[in-house]
Amino acid sequence: MDFKFPTCLPAVIFQLWMRGSDKHPPLRSLKRFPSEHLRKRFADLKYLMLRIEKYLLANNTFNEKPTVEECERMYQSGSTAIALTVEPQRPLMWQTVAKRLRTT
């Protein structure tokens, strides 16, 4: 299987993290990766998603198995946890957000 993490906005990857897709389980349930590269990308993703989850748990708004709508609300609330101090001029993909947060 040729799996790779999608390049997308943080809101989209949060949906995939929590709910998965028609073809894949929730990304949060993945445990093994066929390459070191994928393992490292998962570590980046997990870092970003756990920041959001930690914020949601602290505010008692986390739902383990959310509907699409609940997931959207959770992301709107939790996105505060991954806000960058300098607003970019264009939307940033999740990989860029994770990298910037790790270096600040």
Side-chain angles (χ1 to χ4, degrees):
M1 167 164 66
D2 290 338
F3 176 81
K4 57 186 238 186
F5 291 102
T7 299
C8 55
L9 296 172
V12 175
I13 202 73
F14 184 73
Q15 284 274 351
L16 294 171
W17 176 259
M18 295 299 299
R19 298 184 41 80
S21 68
D22 292 340
K23 297 180 182 181
H24 300 287
L27 293 176
R28 66 197 325 244
S29 69
L30 299 178
K31 302 291 182 220
R32 295 186 187 154
F33 302 96
S35 71
E36 182 70 11
H37 173 75
L38 285 175
R39 188 191 66 72
K40 287 181 179 181
R41 292 303 66 80
F42 183 75
D44 292 339
L45 176 60
K46 186 175 179 180
Y47 171 79
L48 187 62
M49 297 296 104
L50 291 183
R51 281 184 70 132
I52 296 172
E53 284 187 19
K54 182 179 177 182
Y55 178 88
L56 294 170
L57 286 165
N59 289 285
N60 203 29
T61 54
F62 182 77
N63 181 344
E64 187 75 29
K65 295 186 180 191
T67 64
V68 171
E69 294 78 19
E70 290 169 333
C71 203
E72 289 170 357
R73 284 192 298 272
M74 284 174 33
Y75 179 77
Q76 286 297 334
S77 174
S79 64
T80 302
I82 61 167
L84 299 171
T85 54
V86 177
E87 287 297 316
Q89 293 183 3
R90 59 187 166 85
L92 298 177
M93 300 298 111
W94 73 264
Q95 296 93 327
T96 304
V97 175
K99 183 178 179 181
R100 288 187 181 182
L101 288 172
R102 282 185 182 252
T103 59
T104 57

